[in-house]
Amino acid sequence: MPTTRDAVLETLSRIVLPDGGDLVSRDMVRALSVEDDTVRFVIETHDPGRAAELEPVRAAAQAAVEALAGVTRASVVLTAHGPAPKAPSGEGLKIGRHPTPQAGPENPAGIDRILAVGSGKGGVGKSTVASNLAVALARRGRRVGLLDADIYGPSQPRMMGVTRRAASPDGKTIEPVVAHGVTMMSIGLMLDEGQAVVWRGPMLMGALQQLLSQVNWGPLDVLVVDLPPGTGDIQLTLCQRTRLTGAIVVSTPQDVALIDARKAIDMFGKLGTPVLGLIENMSTYVCPNCGHEAHIFGHGGVAAEAEALGVPLLGALPLALDVRLAGDAGQPVALGEGPQAEAYAHIAARLVGGGMA
């Protein structure tokens, strides 16, 4: 049985550095991939003068990973790339500024459609839905981008399995990363893990403008935007500065989540953004041992809301352990087979068939 990313990272966390700490806690592991019995990763130091001193560490890391069950080969490269950025940046381009004037709503060059995935509150699985929906659309042959617009709490790098930093070779344009067939960008690719973004509204608005206009997205059929919870500056900026195809609102079935979902729907209405449909997440739970079906968060609340509003219910997604494990491992469940992947594939097919993606 192949090893996992978590097992590799746990092993690397035991590789102690000469000046203290370990490879994982010091954020030196880049481009980690596990393919069958082969593991590849890069050890990156920000001091070129220390690279030669770390060769024994590289050799120890390779030996430790090759000792893992299910691993026959480990490819470990040691690189040095100069000082680490102290603020969100793409190696020369700083992110976070006041927004600049714009003639009117416009999409980044080459992007046909923009879908906003929003919710009225956190904790309803919106980011999980956004990442899996992007992957499901890519599996249907669409050219897909994924923008993590949750500046305060970016989670897409983890969910999409991306560890390397974004780069800006010319200091003007940011080169995004590609994962699972999806072109992705997140401010999390410019931060140390655990580093907080402490900004007021104008800085957020400017950062979103940069992530839209200064990223080399290339030609895309659809850009999926993972919005933060609520109805604040990011949502306002996206709706007013781009030509949104529409919004998808995610909620769980219980009343306390639907109260806030209605606020998100009302916000999109006031901003002239069409709501393309609702998704009921964590709709049902089927016990993997006995097959009993339980509705932990209630059931059917989002469907009733969609009917009352006259908008489609795009899908009802189950609550399943596999979804959480896949997200934590950076391998969205929509990549595989089974009922969870089929549920996302069904939603993607509806969006493509309706000309929305």
Side-chain angles (χ1 to χ4, degrees), residues 80-280:
H81 287 298
K86 296 181 180 180
S89 66
E91 295 182 10
L93 188 150
K94 297 288 185 182
I95 290 292
R97 66 182 188 196
H98 283 236
T100 58
Q102 186 173 305
E106 60 181 6
N107 289 354
I111 296 179
D112 290 341
R113 307 169 188 84
I114 300 179
L115 296 180
V117 179
S119 66
K121 69 186 293 98
V124 299
K126 168 188 53 59
S127 293
T128 297
V129 170
S131 59
N132 279 283
L133 181 58
V135 168
L137 287 168
R139 292 189 71 183
R140 294 193 66 83
R142 309 307 285 166
R143 297 170 299 176
V144 183
L146 175 62
L147 172 58
D148 187 351
D150 194 343
I151 306 296
Y152 288 145
S155 55
Q156 292 301 343
R158 170 62 66 89
M159 290 186 169
M160 295 293 284
V162 177
T163 58
R164 76 172 179 86
R165 290 184 184 273
S168 177
D170 61 2
K172 298 177 182 179
T173 303
I174 306 168
E175 294 298 327
V177 300
V178 178
H180 312 306
V182 175
T183 302
M184 195 205 90
M185 188 60 211
S186 168
I187 200 170
L189 301 177
M190 300 178 173
L191 298 168
D192 294 327
E193 190 171 10
Q195 180 181 347
V197 174
V198 187
W199 288 341
R200 296 186 187 276
M203 294 284 282
L204 290 177
M205 296 160 65
L208 178 62
Q209 188 181 30
Q210 287 180 277
L211 292 174
L212 284 166
S213 63
Q214 291 185 251
V215 171
N216 183 22
W217 290 107
L220 296 177
D221 295 310
V222 59
L223 176 65
V224 178
V225 182
D226 177 18
L227 291 172
T231 56
D233 290 316
I234 291 291
Q235 289 84 346
L236 186 63
T237 301
L238 183 70
C239 291
Q240 292 182 333
R241 287 183 173 259
T242 67
R243 299 187 183 278
L244 275 179
T245 304
I248 297 170
V249 176
V250 180
S251 179
T252 50
Q254 81 261 40
D255 290 342
V256 70
L258 284 168
I259 289 171
D260 290 330
R262 293 185 190 107
K263 295 175 184 176
I265 294 166
D266 182 59
M267 173 201 68
F268 286 123
K270 289 177 177 176
L271 294 173
T273 299
V275 175
L276 304 178
L278 309 187
I279 292 177
E280 181 169 282

